Amino acid sequence: MNLLLIGPPGSGKGTQGERLAQRLGLEHIAAGDLLRAEVEAQTPLGRRVSELMQRGDLVPDAVILGLLMPKVLAAADANGYLLDGFPRSVEQAVEARKLAEQAGASPNAVIYLDAPRDELMRRILARAEIEGRDDDNPTTVANRLEVFEEATRPLVDYYRDRGMLHIVDANMDEQAVTDQIVAALDGVCAG
Ligand code: AMP
């Protein structure tokens, strides 16, 4: 089974991505984590994207596609993937779909983690204390939420129209959210 996990910053993509990947035996591929690793290692790609990430803007489509797609296709060939934080725009979804379809690596379902804005803010600012991410400060978070509304939210209609969307209430404790997702996936067959 191949899954996409999308949602606003702070909705729990990383946490649920890890939990679900383990529970379902899928490879967890987190777009933001892969980008942060490049920045950390100061690779040419990392240097190219660090300022954009610090501002909370999206990195160019070609960069994220180039970084993710080889991993996505390889995971689809193995036990399947759970992709978190990608796509973040309809353009990315369309491009990825072309590449995945050719390789027989299309997603079977899309999980959308939904939570109210004040809860997202609360979680991100709490996480900032623990993880110290550069982009978890109030100014950048406001931009990330705006980028989400403009670029990413249209994916909800895009995937709903394709009958792939499962909206999950992410404003609950971790275990309850995981259980909801697993229940929503009941009946989504591998293939
Ligand atoms: P995340 O860890 O998912 O919150 O992502 C952190 C940052 O990485 C985002 O604010 C973007 O700057 C960048 N990023 C992550 N995923 C993508 C993507 N699919 N497309 C473009 N930029 C991304």
Side-chain angles (χ1 to χ4, degrees):
M1 180 158 60
N2 299 317
L3 298 175
L4 304 180
L5 190 57
I6 60 177
S11 59
K13 296 188 296 294
T15 307
Q16 292 301 326
E18 267 171 42
R19 294 176 68 102
L20 280 170
Q22 205 171 15
R23 187 144 154 191
L24 303 173
L26 305 173
E27 185 174 340
H28 181 208
I29 304 173
D33 286 353
L34 291 173
L35 288 168
R36 278 186 289 279
E38 297 282 329
V39 172
E40 182 83 7
Q42 298 189 2
T43 64
L45 191 156
R47 281 199 287 272
R48 195 168 157 210
V49 300
S50 78
E51 223 176 277
L52 288 165
M53 290 177 73
Q54 251 166 36
R55 284 205 302 266
D57 289 331
L58 297 183
V59 312
D61 290 351
V63 170
I64 192 74
L65 280 154
L67 186 64
L68 290 179
M69 289 314 289
K71 296 181 179 16
V72 167
L73 300 185
D77 256 350
N79 292 326
Y81 60 81
L82 192 150
L83 186 47
D84 115 38
F86 179 91
R88 257 170 153 102
S89 66
V90 172
E91 291 77 12
Q92 288 183 0
V94 169
E95 276 310 305
R97 186 165 167 228
K98 284 186 212 154
L99 298 169
E101 253 174 20
Q102 284 162 13
S106 302
N108 302 97
V110 180
I111 310 293
Y112 176 72
L113 295 178
D114 194 26
R117 190 188 163 102
D118 55 350
E119 174 63 14
L120 299 172
M121 269 290 183
R122 193 193 63 73
R123 287 188 192 177
I124 295 172
L125 297 179
R127 177 173 77 187
E129 306 263 311
I130 300 162
E131 293 181 17
R133 261 174 66 169
D134 278 354
D135 61 350
D136 277 347
N137 63 77
T139 311
T140 304
V141 171
N143 187 43
R144 286 162 64 203
L145 288 169
E146 204 169 303
V147 167
F148 174 81
E149 289 302 328
E150 275 180 25
T152 312
R153 191 182 285 284
L155 284 173
V156 171
D157 284 338
Y158 177 85
Y159 287 121
R160 185 188 285 123
D161 289 349
R162 282 163 182 74
M164 295 169 72
L165 188 72
H166 300 270
I167 296 180
V168 165
D169 179 4
N171 196 14
M172 298 181 161
D173 67 57
E174 286 175 21
Q175 183 63 49
V177 177
T178 310
D179 289 344
Q180 255 191 96
I181 298 173
V182 172
L185 291 174
D186 198 32
V188 175
C189 62

